[in-house]
Amino acid sequence: MNDLRSSKQDERMEEMLEMLESMEKEQTQKDSIIQQKDSEIRTLQGQLNESLNLCEKLNSENKAENVQALKNELKQTKELLQSEKEKKKRADSTIEECQDKLRQAEREKEYALTHQKKVEIPVEKPVLYERCRNCDRRAYQQAKERYEHQRNGLEKKYKAKSVGFDAMLVVLWWYASVTTIFAAIRSEIFIGDFTAFVDTVWNGIYQSGKWIVNVGNALAQVGDRIPNETVAIVVHWLLLIIVIVGTAVAVGMLMVIAEKKVTMVYRENCWDVISVGVVVTSIALVVYFGDWIKDFVKLNLVVLLLLVQAVYVGIRVYVNGCKRARGYS
């Protein structure tokens, strides 16, 4: 019902608009006619004035014939003026009627615009390669099936090739790592430097632990000053345990924080195949050419490897930071 009402209102609006256009055209035509009639009336008035002047001249000259002719012309001009005035009155009345109709049509138009109801008509979106519902879709379905089949086949081939490439890469890196480890085991210079590095680290840990125990004993002696022997023993061991456990916990927390920071930096900047290649290549160079390197650099080979990795990570962090600052990544 709402659709019918809206359609009727639209038809009525269209009729009213057409009627308004026709009325405007008629009004323009009538305005042009009135202008023409006004110009004709002005010309007739000029002619009348001229004829009156002539009549005065003829009266002065006492010419009866010319006076009679002029009187006839005056009558004709008066009749023409009266007829033109009547036509002008009729035109004015028709113009007023058209203006009234135009005002009424504008009121009806405003009423229709303010009181009309908007109805949403669902429109189906056209589907690609489908012109209408009655078309034969067999060719489209066949082409779509062939495309899906080819795409699935290409995706399977790509996955198989990518898996094979990854497997080959893993095998190559594993082979390089194993051969490098075996060569390192057989290298006396590398084994000696590795043993010295481990001994140095162990001695450092041992000395640090011994120093922490001595500090704990020194602080625990505060409890020995208590007169009560039982309380003094409890306080002594309690202070010793607090110092040792607190130091161990603090060192462990620092190590965990440092490990998280280093891991985060390494993952953000160096977690790729290039880093693996740098590690394996540096280890291989140190293992196979360790005796030559020791002739030029009097430094532990394990420490040298750690320094190379630190320099590499620093370079990668600097380069990635410059890229981020310039908006490249």
Side-chain angles (χ1 to χ4, degrees), residues 21-295:
E21 290 177 356
S22 62
M23 289 169 68
E24 288 177 355
K25 289 179 181 179
E26 290 178 359
Q27 187 175 358
T28 52
Q29 291 176 0
K30 288 178 180 180
D31 290 334
S32 62
I33 291 166
I34 289 166
Q35 291 176 358
Q36 291 177 0
K37 296 298 182 182
D38 289 334
S39 62
E40 290 178 358
I41 288 167
R42 290 193 191 108
T43 55
L44 289 172
Q45 284 178 354
Q47 291 176 2
L48 180 61
N49 292 325
E50 290 177 358
S51 61
L52 288 171
N53 292 325
L54 289 171
C55 285
E56 288 177 356
K57 289 178 180 180
L58 292 171
N59 288 323
S60 62
E61 294 175 356
N62 294 319
K63 292 182 179 180
E65 295 179 357
N66 292 329
V67 171
Q68 189 65 34
L70 288 171
K71 286 181 179 180
N72 294 328
E73 288 180 359
L74 287 172
K75 287 180 181 180
Q76 290 177 358
T77 53
K78 286 181 179 180
E79 290 176 357
L80 288 172
L81 286 171
Q82 289 178 358
S83 63
E84 292 297 332
K85 286 180 180 180
E86 290 177 356
K87 289 179 180 179
K88 188 176 180 181
K89 288 180 181 179
R90 291 175 184 174
D92 292 335
S93 62
T94 52
I95 288 167
E96 289 178 357
E97 290 178 358
C98 291
Q99 287 178 354
D100 294 334
K101 290 180 180 179
L102 182 62
R103 294 190 193 96
Q104 187 178 0
E106 287 178 353
R107 293 193 198 96
E108 291 179 356
K109 180 182 176 181
E110 291 177 358
Y111 179 80
L113 289 173
T114 53
H115 292 78
Q116 67 180 355
K117 294 183 179 179
K118 295 181 180 180
V119 181
E120 294 183 356
I121 300 171
V123 179
E124 294 183 357
K125 294 182 179 180
V127 183
L128 189 62
Y129 300 116
E130 294 184 6
R131 291 176 295 177
C132 63
R133 295 181 179 177
N134 298 323
C135 294
D136 187 7
R137 302 182 185 177
R138 187 176 299 169
Y140 168 71
Q141 293 294 336
Q142 290 177 357
K144 186 177 179 181
E145 289 175 359
R146 286 197 300 270
Y147 169 74
E148 293 291 338
H149 181 69
Q150 291 177 0
R151 188 182 69 178
N152 293 329
L154 291 172
E155 285 180 355
K156 289 179 181 178
K157 288 180 181 179
Y158 174 75
K159 289 179 180 179
K161 288 183 179 180
S162 61
V163 169
F165 178 76
D166 293 337
M168 183 178 66
L169 190 63
V170 170
V171 169
L172 288 173
W173 286 122
W174 178 81
Y175 176 75
S177 301
V178 170
T179 53
T180 304
I181 291 168
F182 288 163
I185 292 170
R186 294 185 63 184
S187 177
E188 295 179 359
I189 295 172
F190 185 80
I191 291 296
D193 288 346
F194 183 76
T195 304
F197 179 78
V198 172
D199 289 337
T200 303
V201 173
W202 176 252
N203 289 327
I205 293 170
Y206 177 74
Q207 293 296 330
S208 299
K210 189 175 179 181
W211 180 77
I212 291 168
V213 172
N214 291 329
V215 171
N217 287 323
L219 293 173
Q221 289 177 2
V222 177
D224 296 338
R225 298 176 184 177
I226 298 173
N228 193 344
E229 184 177 359
T230 304
V231 176
I233 293 170
V234 172
V235 172
H236 177 86
W237 287 104
L238 186 62
L239 290 173
L240 181 63
I241 290 168
I242 288 171
V243 170
I244 294 171
V245 173
T247 306
V249 170
V251 172
M253 290 178 67
L254 290 174
M255 289 178 66
V256 169
I257 293 169
E259 186 270 335
K260 286 184 177 180
K261 292 287 185 182
V262 172
T263 304
M264 184 177 66
V265 172
Y266 198 86
R267 281 182 177 274
E268 289 180 354
N269 300 283
C270 305
W271 195 256
D272 52 8
V273 180
I274 298 173
S275 300
V276 178
V278 170
V279 171
V280 174
T281 303
S282 59
I283 292 172
L285 289 172
V286 169
V287 169
Y288 288 106
F289 302 101
D291 51 351
W292 293 354
I293 294 170
K294 293 286 285 186
D295 293 336

Side-chain angles (χ1 to χ4, degrees), residues 295-312:
D295 293 336
F296 293 99
V297 181
K298 300 299 181 181
L299 190 65
N300 191 289
L301 295 178
V302 178
V303 176
L304 182 63
L305 279 173
L306 294 175
L307 288 174
V308 169
Q309 291 299 313
V311 171
Y312 167 72

